[in-house]
């Protein structure tokens, strides 16, 4: 099993910044993906950004140029720096850790952007 612990959510005004962190522990593997998804009320969960252990990165179009995903493989930790936040970024953000066998999810952290 893999456990994910998220931190860094909160309330911020439009145009502000937040940084999310997610640390994986347990049966972690060297080859993996780590990323962030979000789910707003009444909407489906969607990809925000994901990075692989080999260094590949993918962003949702809606966050390109504003959000930056990074990871520390030695700490099994992934970060999401969110700048120029907009009210439409308001959602519960979930950390994802994936291996070739399955995905694991964090408990979610609320990000609220006020206008």
């Amino acid at each position: 099993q893999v456990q994910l612990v998220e931190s860094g959510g909160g309330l911020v005004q439009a145009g502000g910044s937040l940084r999310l962190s997610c640390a994986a522990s347990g049966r972690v593997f060297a080859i993996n993906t780590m990323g962030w998804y979000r789910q707003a009320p009444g909407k489906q969960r969607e990809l925000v950004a994901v990075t692989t252990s080999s260094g590949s990165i993918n962003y949702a179009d809606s966050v390109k140029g504003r959000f930056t995903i990074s990871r520390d493989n030695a700490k099994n930790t992934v970060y999401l720096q969110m700048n120029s936040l907009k009210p439409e970024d308001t959602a519960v953000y979930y950390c994802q850790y994936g291996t070739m066998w399955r995905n694991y999810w964090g408990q979610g952290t609320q990000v609220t952007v006020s206008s």
Side-chain angles (χ1 to χ4, degrees):
Q1 290 287 348
V2 174
Q3 295 78 44
L4 301 175
V5 178
E6 303 160 341
S7 61
L11 172 65
V12 65
Q13 289 188 331
S17 299
L18 284 173
R19 187 186 193 219
L20 306 182
S21 300
C22 174
S25 62
R27 297 189 65 183
V28 295
F29 292 87
I31 299 175
N32 59 67
T33 63
M34 295 190 77
W36 294 93
Y37 289 69
R38 66 187 181 188
Q39 187 167 17
K43 294 187 177 181
Q44 289 188 330
R45 189 174 298 188
E46 63 177 5
L47 170 72
V48 176
V50 65
T51 176
T52 70
S53 50
S54 62
S56 298
I57 292 176
N58 188 38
Y59 292 101
D61 288 343
S62 60
V63 306
K64 284 181 180 177
R66 299 188 298 122
F67 291 10
T68 302
I69 190 170
S70 61
R71 61 188 289 163
D72 184 334
N73 288 331
K75 296 181 179 180
N76 296 310
T77 299
V78 65
Y79 306 94
L80 185 68
Q81 178 65 44
M82 304 184 292
N83 298 328
S84 302
L85 283 159
K86 304 175 181 180
E88 50 264 44
D89 294 318
T90 295
V92 177
Y93 284 68
Y94 295 92
C95 175
Q96 173 262 345
Y97 175 92
T99 67
M100 65 179 72
W101 298 282
R102 62 167 289 182
N103 283 319
Y104 296 86
W105 297 93
Q107 78 282 4
T109 184
Q110 178 70 46
V111 171
T112 303
V113 184
S114 63
S115 58

